[in-house]
Amino acid sequence: MSSNETRIDLAKFSFLRYMSRDGNLMRLVLITAAIFALMSILSPDRFLTFDNFDSMAYQFPEFGILSLAMMITMLTGGIDLSIVGIANLSGVFAALMMLHTIPDGASTSQILTGIMAAVLLAMATGAGCGFINGLLIAKINIPPILATLGTMQFFTGIAIVVTKGYAIFGLPDQFSFIGNEAIGIFPVPFLIFAAFAWLFSLLLNKTGYGTKLYMMGTNATAAKFSGINNTMMLVKTYMLSGLVAALAGLVIVARTNSAKADYGTSYTLQAILIAVMGGVNPNGGFGTIAGIVLAVLTLQFLSSGFNMLGFSNFFKDFIWGAVLIFIMVVNFIFNNRRAKRRK
């Protein structure tokens, strides 16, 4: 057997061993493949086209990035319901910054400087919002679901007051590159999501922060006695979640070439659904980037298929809710069986 064949066999063995260790991931692969096959059969002329895959690659990165922001807070045993509010508030501030710093007839360098300032302002806004969430949860001990429910309304309210409820238009064409252009055959939003997924995989699996995050989510008391500062970890995690949500907001603004206080209101439920479907334990301590990516693809295949089959948006909301409940029940049953086998 040649060395190349040996490496391929080892790669297959490692992949199968990795999949077999995570039953949820294996189920998710089968579900994704089944939904892809079903939609391909039901609407082969429209689903299996380059235009459809190209369209999906522009759509799913927005809620895919928000799902990563949701995931890291759920790994702590918490949740962040304010990610969409943070995304919209950051997008509104970024749009206003561009409108006020880039004059008519500005040179390319002035436009790029204005865009860079807007991106930095959005990132600072997201991190600041996350810092508020972290303080409310880690220092004042408000349950995450209540703290972020309150800040969701607070951040959205600020955006509504600032914009008076209107959308902000007239952004530079150069900014729309982020949301509407492609590099080669790959849309820029898709590349941004892929980069974030890769960075989060490194962060969670190759850094001390990731190890501490999983430890704290598994057992906060044990983590504390092992020397981990849980308060700082929570603040950092919610700041990171806010930062990522802000970058998702920039992608939304770039794709729509406008900013508004109530864009993407359904993304909160979808981000939770993706995280749970992807195998993230709502009680904290477990979750993989591979699961999140597969769940994002599954939801996008379903969404595109429903559009082609003529389902209304109301029916899709019903389906998202039903799928979320179903996945939680299935995970509960499998986790209980696994726990009994270990006893």
Side-chain angles (χ1 to χ4, degrees):
M1 183 180 290
S2 69
S3 60
N4 287 338
E5 289 174 330
T6 303
R7 280 197 293 270
I8 292 172
D9 287 345
L10 287 174
K12 286 180 179 177
F13 175 73
S14 299
F15 175 74
L16 292 173
R17 189 173 60 178
Y18 173 73
M19 295 291 291
S20 64
R21 284 189 307 189
D22 189 344
N24 181 74
L25 201 59
M26 182 67 82
R27 289 195 298 274
L28 202 51
V29 169
L30 296 176
I31 291 171
T32 306
I35 291 174
F36 183 86
L38 178 64
M39 294 304 170
S40 300
I41 293 170
L42 293 176
S43 184
D45 296 337
R46 298 175 65 189
F47 189 79
L48 294 175
T49 63
F50 176 80
D51 287 344
N52 180 44
F53 290 114
D54 188 55
S55 174
M56 287 193 288
Y58 280 101
Q59 295 172 28
F60 74 74
E62 294 172 6
F63 59 82
I65 297 171
L66 287 171
S67 302
L68 295 174
M70 181 67 75
M71 173 197 182
I72 55 170
T73 59
M74 291 180 71
L75 287 177
T76 69
I79 195 169
D80 189 351
L81 300 179
S82 67
I83 50 174
V84 173
I86 295 174
N88 286 327
L89 181 61
S90 303
V92 165
F93 283 169
L96 290 173
M97 171 68 85
M98 283 186 272
L99 289 181
H100 287 90
T101 58
I102 302 175
D104 293 337
S107 64
T108 302
S109 62
Q110 285 178 306
I111 294 173
L112 293 178
T113 302
I115 291 174
M116 185 59 68
V119 170
L120 292 176
L121 177 62
M123 293 171 66
T125 302
C129 292
F131 181 70
I132 294 172
N133 282 335
L135 285 183
L136 292 174
I137 294 164
K139 297 294 285 185
I140 307 179
N141 293 322
I142 298 175
I145 192 170
L146 296 180
T148 56
L149 182 64
T151 54
M152 175 185 71
Q153 292 294 334
F154 179 61
F155 300 145
T156 303
I158 294 174
I160 291 174
V161 169
V162 170
T163 61
K164 297 181 174 58
Y166 296 106
I168 301 172
F169 297 100
L171 306 179
D173 292 338
Q174 289 85 344
F175 185 69
S176 67
F177 175 84
I178 299 173
N180 296 295
E181 299 297 332
I183 298 176
I185 62 170
F186 299 106
V188 174
F190 169 79
L191 294 175
I192 293 174
F193 172 71
F196 269 98
W198 178 68
L199 288 173
F200 265 69
S201 180
L202 290 180
L203 181 71
L204 295 176
N205 298 306
K206 302 292 184 183
T207 68
Y209 169 81
T211 304
K212 292 176 183 176
L213 190 64
Y214 282 116
M215 284 181 64
M216 188 180 69
T218 303
N219 191 324
T221 303
K224 181 180 179 181
F225 283 108
S226 68
I228 296 174
N229 187 331
N230 289 353
T231 300
M232 283 303 297
M233 281 297 296
L234 280 173
V235 173
K236 286 180 183 176
T237 301
Y238 278 89
M239 286 183 69
L240 180 59
S241 174
L243 181 64
V244 175
L247 293 170
L250 289 173
V251 174
I252 295 172
V253 172
R255 186 179 63 81
T256 60
N257 204 26
S258 63
K260 199 167 185 286
D262 59 355
Y263 277 152
T265 51
S266 65
Y267 285 169
T268 304
L269 174 61
Q270 290 185 32
I272 297 172
L273 172 58
I274 288 168
V276 174
M277 186 187 291
V280 179
N281 186 348
N283 296 317
F286 184 79
T288 63
I289 296 298
I292 294 292
V293 172
L294 283 171
V296 167
L297 293 177
T298 302
L299 212 62
Q300 184 59 57
F301 291 157
L302 270 177
S303 179
S304 295
F306 286 161
N307 285 335
M308 292 172 184
L309 297 173
F311 289 106
S312 72
N313 288 331
F314 302 110
F315 184 77
K316 284 200 289 186
D317 287 340
F318 162 76
I319 290 294
W320 300 154
V323 170
L324 179 59
I325 293 171
F326 175 76
I327 294 294
M328 286 192 295
V329 170
V330 169
N331 286 345
F332 177 79
I333 293 172
F334 274 93
N335 290 337
N336 270 0
R337 286 182 179 176
R338 188 187 307 158
K340 287 179 180 176
R341 283 199 298 268
R342 289 175 178 172
K343 288 180 179 177

